[in-house]
Amino acid sequence: MKIVAGMGSIDDYIRLVKAGADEVFCGYVPYEWNKKYGSLFPLNRREVLYYNIQINSLEDMKILKSMVDVYKVPVSITFNYLYYLEEQYEIISYIMQDLIEIGFDEFIIADIALILYLKEKNIKCKIHLSGETAEINSLSIEFFNKLNISRYVFHRKNTIEDMKACIKNNTVKNLQYEAFILNEMCHYSGAFCSSLHCDELAHLCKMPYDLVKINRLVNNFPEVDKKLELYYDELEKEILYFEDENEERYTLGSTGCGICKLKKLKEAGVTHLKVVGRGKYIYDMEKDIIGLKKAISMLENIDYEEFEKDIKDKLFKNGCSGECYY
């Protein structure tokens, strides 16, 4: 099983590789795209400009390719927004061709229309079907097989049983399958989420909410307003807390974790494990990868119960986060 790690800056590539990443993925958004379309028409569902979450120049991508040539750990590029304007498909194809010319030919794509457009234009590349597409069963995978997908990225809501059935029933063999393993567990399914992830607004998935029946006799808004105030108070405390570099703040899998289910994922046929990390502190990403690498090394000659016990004893000494993917 290979580790696929998210990267927000080319400065982090070598550190991710040395920590043990087998592959890296990143976003590339040229300045020209931002100038014309801004945050409202993202290339890859990360509309953030304020901190390192994208690579923004072709020259930086050339530097990254030079590092890939030395360290031999491949990089795939995300173009995984759910849909694009008609005029944007041609622009995206030019961006991809620029990347292909310097040596990047693996792209993570969610929009089926974009995949078809690339096929029509005869642009030669490898396509990883993004988890944002939400392939959910064998029938959907049978449809996507016609598009020459080289890897399926299962979305966050797939159970291990779902993945196993999809892989087992797929008539096309020797494909790659990727599952989320660490960070950014979300209660939304990406394929049905139209929120923005930008500097100007808090991420919708981070906002507090209640599921309640609304009627004319009950006004729930004052209660929601109180929760919003508490949310922003806690956010401010968190920012102040992170400014204290002497404070130990790292917890493996604090925002999403599937490490205990590694053995079942492997037996289901999952070949790649996604460590989400674009925009995350590189210090935390290094520890994520090292911890996951150690867990993978413990998989052989052990049953499920022993593995889960050993993992909790050796990797979660202070207790696991409880934010379980599976």
Side-chain angles (χ1 to χ4, degrees):
M1 301 177 91
K2 293 186 176 180
I3 298 171
V4 185
M7 178 180 73
S9 165
I10 63 170
D11 297 333
D12 296 341
Y13 174 79
I14 295 173
R15 292 179 67 172
L16 291 173
V17 171
K18 288 186 174 180
D22 300 295
E23 289 184 23
V24 173
F25 66 93
C26 67
Y28 170 58
V29 183
Y31 167 75
E32 292 77 14
W33 179 280
N34 278 325
K35 184 179 179 182
K36 186 170 184 179
Y37 296 113
S39 295
L40 293 179
F41 294 99
L43 263 176
N44 60 50
R45 306 221 74 181
R46 291 292 188 276
E47 302 83 30
V48 176
L49 297 174
Y50 183 64
Y51 55 95
N52 287 335
I53 207 165
Q54 309 283 10
I55 297 169
N56 294 110
S57 77
L58 192 61
E59 293 307 309
D60 275 354
M61 294 304 294
K62 290 177 182 176
I63 294 169
L64 178 59
K65 182 60 175 67
S66 298
M67 290 192 280
V68 171
D69 290 340
V70 172
Y71 289 92
K72 309 301 180 188
V73 171
V75 175
S76 51
I77 319 297
T78 58
F79 290 90
N80 63 340
Y81 193 52
L82 303 183
Y83 59 88
Y84 301 98
L85 301 178
E86 186 175 353
E87 68 182 58
Q88 293 174 329
Y89 289 106
E90 186 176 14
I91 297 169
I92 293 170
S93 73
Y94 290 145
I95 293 171
M96 286 184 170
Q97 284 172 323
D98 285 343
L99 292 169
I100 290 168
E101 281 178 17
I102 63 175
F104 294 104
D105 67 347
E106 296 196 34
F107 302 109
I108 303 168
I109 300 175
D111 180 16
I112 303 168
L114 176 57
I115 297 173
L116 289 170
Y117 184 87
L118 296 175
K119 195 174 180 181
E120 285 178 5
K121 295 296 180 181
N122 200 30
I123 295 174
K124 304 294 184 185
C125 62
K126 295 174 185 173
I127 296 172
H128 301 180
L129 190 69
S130 170
E132 302 294 87
T133 312
E135 62 288 357
I136 56 174
N137 55 36
S138 302
L139 291 174
S140 61
I141 285 185
E142 186 179 332
F143 167 77
F144 290 123
N145 282 338
K146 300 170 187 175
L147 304 177
N148 297 321
I149 305 298
S150 63
R151 181 184 303 175
Y152 288 99
V153 183
F154 290 112
H155 68 94
R156 290 172 171 87
K157 297 295 187 292
N158 278 109
T159 65
I160 296 174
E161 290 73 20
D162 290 337
M163 297 182 210
K164 187 174 183 179
C166 286
I167 296 168
K168 182 182 177 183
N169 295 324
N170 193 353
T171 55
V172 179
K173 304 304 177 185
N174 301 318
L175 294 178
Q176 298 173 342
Y177 299 92
E178 186 174 318
F180 283 82
I181 198 71
L182 283 174
N183 307 332
E184 287 197 22
M185 187 170 71
C186 186
H187 43 258
Y188 296 117
S189 291
F192 308 113
C193 173
S194 298
S195 69
L196 296 173
H197 304 83
C198 60
D199 302 310
E200 298 88 351
L201 301 168
H203 297 182
L204 184 60
C205 44
K206 304 283 188 184
M207 301 298 286
Y209 65 90
D210 268 340
L211 294 177
V212 295
K213 289 183 179 179
I214 297 176
N215 60 54
R216 286 174 294 179
L217 303 176
V218 180
N219 180 5
N220 300 110
F221 288 103
E223 192 175 335
V224 172
D225 287 340
K226 284 180 185 177
K227 288 197 172 184
L228 280 172
E229 286 178 22
L230 287 171
Y231 167 76
Y232 285 111
D233 286 344
E234 289 300 316
L235 192 63
E236 191 172 331
K237 288 177 190 173
E238 187 179 313
I239 292 167
L240 291 171
Y241 172 68
F242 281 144
E243 286 175 353
D244 185 354
E245 294 180 357
N246 297 319
E247 201 69 52
E248 180 58 48
R249 54 180 173 77
Y250 174 80
T251 301
L252 180 62
S254 61
T255 61
C257 181
I259 287 181
C260 283
K261 302 303 178 187
L262 270 178
K263 195 166 182 67
K264 289 189 175 181
L265 286 167
K266 184 176 183 180
E267 291 188 0
V270 170
T271 59
H272 292 72
L273 302 165
K274 183 186 289 292
V275 180
V276 187
R278 289 191 286 160
K280 195 177 180 190
Y281 291 107
I282 183 61
Y283 167 86
D284 291 345
M285 282 296 291
E286 286 174 315
K287 288 200 164 189
D288 284 344
I289 295 166
I290 290 167
L292 178 55
K293 199 89 174 174
K294 186 174 180 181
I296 293 171
S297 71
M298 296 163 58
L299 279 172
E300 300 302 322
N301 303 317
I302 192 171
D303 64 27
Y304 297 124
E305 291 183 5
E306 284 182 299
F307 177 72
E308 290 190 17
K309 183 180 183 302
D310 281 1
I311 286 295
K312 286 173 181 174
D313 289 344
K314 293 175 182 177
L315 292 185
F316 300 103
K317 293 176 182 176
N318 299 323
C320 71
S321 65
E323 299 293 327
C324 302
Y325 264 112
Y326 306 113

